[in-house]
Amino acid sequence: MSFLTKVRENNPLVHNITNIVVANFSANGLLALGASPFMADAHEEVADIAAMSGAVVLNIGTLNDYAIESMLLAGKAANRHNVPVVLDPVGAGATAYRTEVTHKLVSQMQITALRGNVAEVAHVVGERWSIKGVDAGAGDGDVVALAVQAALKLKCVVIITGKEDVITDGRITYVVSNGHPVLTRVTGTGCLLSAVVGAFLAASGGAWLEAAAEALSFYGVAAEIAANRTRQQGVGSFQTEFLNQLALLTPEVYAERSRVQRLEQ
Ligand code: ATP
Ligand code: TZP
Ligand code: MG
Ligand code: MG
C-alpha cells in the first residue's frame, strides 16, 4: 500500500506551529490531502497537542520569541512521545536571528526531517549560500553533497527543494524531478509541502526516508496536473486547482507520473 493511501486511511493529526502567511493554505492543503490539521501555538497546550499528534511541523516563517518557546515545548514533547518532527527553517541565513534560532531548535530536539530550500539548509548546518528573504539565491555548490552532510550532522532526513528535490538520510539519496515552476509564484508552497511531509511521516510507520520521497513526488505530480489544467488562467486558479489535486490525485495516476531516482552512492 502506498503511503498516500495510508495518509488518506489514517487521517493523521498534524500539529503545526507555523507562520501567519501560510496558516490557512497549509490547513486547507492538509485537509485536501486527507490529513487533519491543528494549528496551535499557546505555551499552555502545545506539549499536549504534540503528544497526541501523528506529526509536529515547526515553521519559523514569521518568527518571534513567543513562537520559539512554543516550538521548543512542542518539539521536546514530540521527542518524548516518539512523534516525528519536521522543521522548515524559512529564511535561515537571511538574518542572524533566524540562523541562530534554527541552531537552537536542532540542538534542543531531535528533528526527523528538515525541509528547506538550498540556502536555508546550508545555513542550518553552518554553510554559506546566498539568500534573498525567504527565497534561495543563486549558487553553484553541490546540493546532493550538502544534503548528505546535513543529514549526517543532524541525524535526520534532509529534503532540499528546488527544480529538483533531494531527499536523503545521509546513506540513501533520492532525487525527485516532479513539480512545476508555477509553484514558485504562489507563496506558501514550500511551507505546505513541509506540512504534507509531516502527514506522510505520520503514516509511515517509521519509514521516514521512503515516506518523505513519496510525499515530494506526490506533491510535484499534483502541481503538474494543476498547472496543466489552469495553463490558460493565472496563479490564482493554479492555487485552487492545486488544492483540488491534493485531494483528487489517485495512487494509480501518481505512480504513473512519479519521477523518483535513487542515486548510486
Ligand atoms: P523558495 O522560497 O526558495 O521558493 P520554498 O520554501 O518555497 O523555497 P521550494 O524550493 O520552492 O520551497 O519548493 C516548494 C515546491 O516547489 C517543491 O515541491 C519543489 O519541488 C517545487 N519547485 C520549486 N522550484 C521549482 C521549479 N523551478 N520547477 C519545478 N518545481 C519547483
Ligand atoms: N514571509 C515570511 S514567511 C513567508 C513569507 C512570504 C512564506 C514563505 O513561504 P514559502 O513556502 O517558503 O514560499
Ligand atoms: Mg518556493
Ligand atoms: Mg520556504
Side-chain angles (χ1 to χ4, degrees), residues 19 21-22 61-62 90 134 187-191:
N19 67 72
V21 183
V22 306
T62 48
V90 183
V134 298
T187 193
T189 56
C191 300

Side-chain angles (χ1 to χ4, degrees), residues 135 183-184 189-190:
D135 295 327
L183 282 167
T184 64
T189 56

Side-chain angles (χ1 to χ4, degrees), residues 25-108:
F25 184 54
S26 300
N28 275 318
L30 285 169
L31 273 178
L33 169 65
S36 185
F38 197 165
M39 329 308 272
D41 69 349
H43 294 173
E44 293 80 358
E45 65 175 5
V46 285
D48 292 341
I49 296 171
M52 70 177 79
S53 295
V56 172
V57 180
L58 307 177
N59 178 307
I60 69 164
T62 48
L63 198 54
N64 54 58
D65 285 353
Y66 188 90
I68 297 167
E69 186 58 24
S70 305
M71 291 183 198
L72 289 169
L73 290 166
K76 289 177 185 175
N79 283 176
R80 286 195 299 276
H81 291 85
N82 297 316
V83 173
V85 178
V86 179
L87 175 62
D88 188 330
V90 183
T95 65
Y97 180 52
R98 281 171 191 261
T99 309
E100 284 158 17
V101 166
T102 61
H103 295 168
K104 185 172 183 178
L105 291 173
V106 298
S107 70
Q108 295 199 21

Side-chain angles (χ1 to χ4, degrees), residues 15-210:
H15 179 196
N16 298 265
I17 300 176
T18 192
N19 67 72
I20 58 168
V21 183
V22 306
N24 177 274
F25 184 54
S26 300
N28 275 318
L30 285 169
L31 273 178
L33 169 65
S36 185
F38 197 165
M39 329 308 272
D41 69 349
H43 294 173
E44 293 80 358
E45 65 175 5
V46 285
D48 292 341
I49 296 171
M52 70 177 79
S53 295
V56 172
V57 180
L58 307 177
N59 178 307
I60 69 164
T62 48
L63 198 54
N64 54 58
D65 285 353
Y66 188 90
I68 297 167
E69 186 58 24
S70 305
M71 291 183 198
L72 289 169
L73 290 166
K76 289 177 185 175
N79 283 176
R80 286 195 299 276
H81 291 85
N82 297 316
V83 173
V85 178
V86 179
L87 175 62
D88 188 330
V90 183
T95 65
Y97 180 52
R98 281 171 191 261
T99 309
E100 284 158 17
V101 166
T102 61
H103 295 168
K104 185 172 183 178
L105 291 173
V106 298
S107 70
Q108 295 199 21
M109 67 183 75
Q110 178 61 52
I111 300 297
T112 314
L114 175 71
R115 200 298 306 168
N117 64 43
V118 59
E120 292 162 346
V121 171
H123 286 275
V124 172
V125 293
E127 298 291 334
R128 301 174 72 85
W129 199 288
S130 72
I131 186 160
K132 180 183 180 191
V134 298
D135 295 327
D140 57 4
D142 184 334
V143 177
V144 171
L146 172 65
V148 168
Q149 177 194 338
L152 293 175
K153 180 167 184 179
L154 301 176
K155 297 183 172 53
C156 72
V157 171
V158 169
I159 302 160
I160 297 182
T161 53
K163 185 169 184 294
E164 293 192 320
D165 307 313
V166 177
I167 303 108
T168 186
D169 63 3
R171 297 184 304 281
I172 297 171
T173 302
Y174 295 103
V175 175
V176 169
S177 46
N178 295 110
H180 193 281
V182 71
L183 282 167
T184 64
R185 301 186 56 218
V186 175
T187 193
T189 56
C191 300
L192 170 56
L193 171 61
S194 297
V196 165
V197 168
F200 274 72
L201 295 187
S204 72
W208 312 130
L209 181 68
E210 285 68 31

